[in-house]
């Protein structure tokens, strides 16, 4: 285990195991709210991971009773200027986009509550597995603030009407509802959460790193294209993927009825 940042700074804990990096938000007394320092450390780690071929999967987790309660409202109220808020939300948005542009899958490990920017963090991850006791909300409206930036991630995971309902009421939904609506992939008993994460990361690590790298980038880019453009782009990516050693190895292994041996 190693800690992100300096030895005295434990806001974010990084754990590396077999190609899987877990980034654990570590402000349990503040329900892991996203302070400026937390966002800075997250960005630093994501930038480092983006250039590290040894990393195969990333897990975002929380310490203590909650996954993440969103932005640090106390810190925000202590810096009440528009330029500060613009910079803060831009920084948070960059972190969320960095999760999607990483060449490896990112999984949210959710327990307790995921509210406002914490719910945004869940939506920004490629996959999400939650304890069945977890709850989700974009609750800024309850304090007079529409969750505008969280709405971007939320509306790309659940239908418009469901997202808007959450945004204008601030109400919580439970893990079963979050799974049914598509905000998370699955809800499991709280005591089985780590095992479910381990199974999913093992499935990912067992696959070709090159194929996943091609696929993740293609998946998000094609979503913003019209149908013809999407097929043209996907066809080109798939052709390039076919030229990789892993594709030849995987197909030969399938035809020979043996397990493939990936480059890494």
């Amino acid at each position: 285990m190693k800690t992100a940042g300096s030895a005295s700074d434990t806001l974010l804990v990084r754990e590396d195991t077999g190609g899987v990096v877990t980034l654990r938000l570590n402000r349990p007394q503040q329900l892991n709210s996203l302070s400026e320092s937390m966002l800075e450390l997250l960005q630093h780690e994501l930038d480092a991971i983006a250039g590290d071929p040894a990393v195969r999967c990333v897990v975002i987790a929380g310490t203590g009773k909650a996954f993440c309660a969103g932005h640090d409202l106390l810190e925000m109220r202590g810096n009440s200027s528009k330029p500060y808020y613009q910079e803060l939300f831009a920084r948070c948005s960059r972190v969320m986009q960095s999760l999607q542009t990483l060449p490896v899958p990112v999984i949210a490990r959710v327990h307790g509550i995921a509210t406002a920017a914490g719910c945004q963090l869940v939506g920004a991850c490629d996959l999400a597995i939650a304890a069945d006791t977890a709850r989700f909300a974009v609750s800024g409206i309850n304090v007079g603030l529409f969750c505008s930036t969280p709405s971007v991630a939320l509306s790309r995971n659940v239908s418009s009407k469901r997202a808007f309902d959450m945004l204008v009421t601030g109400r919580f939904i439970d893990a079963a509802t979050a799974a049914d609506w598509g905000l998370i992939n699955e809800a499991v008993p709280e005591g089985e959460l780590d095992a479910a994460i381990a199974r999913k990361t093992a499935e990912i690590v067992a696959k070709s790193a090159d194929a996943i790298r091609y696929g993740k980038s293609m998946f998000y880019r094609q979503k913003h294209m019209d149908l013809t453009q999407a097929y043209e782009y996907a066809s080109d990516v798939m052709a390039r993927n076919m030229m990789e050693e892993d594709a030849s190895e995987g197909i030969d292994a399938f035809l020979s009825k043996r397990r493939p041996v990936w480059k890494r």
Side-chain angles (χ1 to χ4, degrees), residues 1-19:
M1 178 187 298
K2 71 176 183 178
T3 302
S6 67
S8 62
D9 189 351
T10 59
L11 290 178
L12 184 69
V13 177
R14 173 171 170 165
E15 304 161 13
D16 293 68
T17 307

Side-chain angles (χ1 to χ4, degrees), residues 58-254:
V58 175
V59 176
I60 307 293
T63 303
K65 298 187 298 183
F67 174 70
C68 178
H71 285 291
D72 187 328
L73 295 179
L74 186 62
E75 184 178 73
M76 288 171 64
R77 287 300 294 143
N79 296 275
S80 54
S81 73
K82 185 178 179 181
Y84 170 81
Y85 294 140
Q86 288 175 323
E87 170 59 27
L88 175 66
F89 296 135
R91 178 180 296 183
C92 183
S93 296
R94 183 176 173 225
V95 167
M96 301 300 167
Q97 291 176 82
S98 293
L99 295 170
Q100 198 169 100
T101 57
L102 279 185
V104 298
V106 183
I107 306 171
R109 178 202 181 279
V110 190
H111 74 292
I113 61 169
T115 56
C119 191
Q120 177 185 6
L121 185 56
V122 175
C125 290
D126 304 305
L127 302 166
I129 301 175
D132 57 8
T133 52
R135 298 188 302 149
F136 304 81
V138 277
S139 47
I141 199 69
N142 296 332
V143 295
L145 180 66
F146 191 88
C147 280
S148 296
T149 49
S151 77
V152 175
L154 182 65
S155 64
R156 282 162 171 73
N157 283 259
V158 308
S159 72
S160 294
K161 285 183 170 57
R162 285 170 169 168
F164 197 75
D165 182 278
M166 291 179 68
L167 287 159
V168 297
T169 65
R171 70 185 181 95
F172 278 91
I173 60 171
D174 59 24
T177 302
D180 181 58
W181 289 6
L183 181 58
I184 64 173
N185 293 85
E186 59 179 313
V188 300
E190 190 163 1
E192 299 175 16
L193 183 54
D194 286 330
I197 294 290
R199 284 194 299 272
K200 186 61 66 179
T201 58
E203 286 181 320
I204 291 168
V205 170
K207 302 301 187 290
S208 162
D210 282 342
I212 288 177
R213 174 173 54 84
Y214 274 109
K216 179 173 174 176
S217 174
M218 181 282 304
F219 178 78
Y220 288 112
R221 286 189 65 183
Q222 63 83 24
K223 290 178 69 175
H224 304 292
M225 300 175 180
D226 65 34
L227 190 64
T228 299
Q229 287 178 315
Y231 271 115
E232 288 176 352
Y233 170 62
S235 295
D236 178 65
V237 172
M238 202 162 185
R240 286 187 281 119
N241 191 171
M242 277 295 296
M243 299 305 295
E244 292 287 340
E245 290 179 27
D246 273 358
S248 297
E249 165 63 14
I251 292 170
D252 288 347
F254 176 78

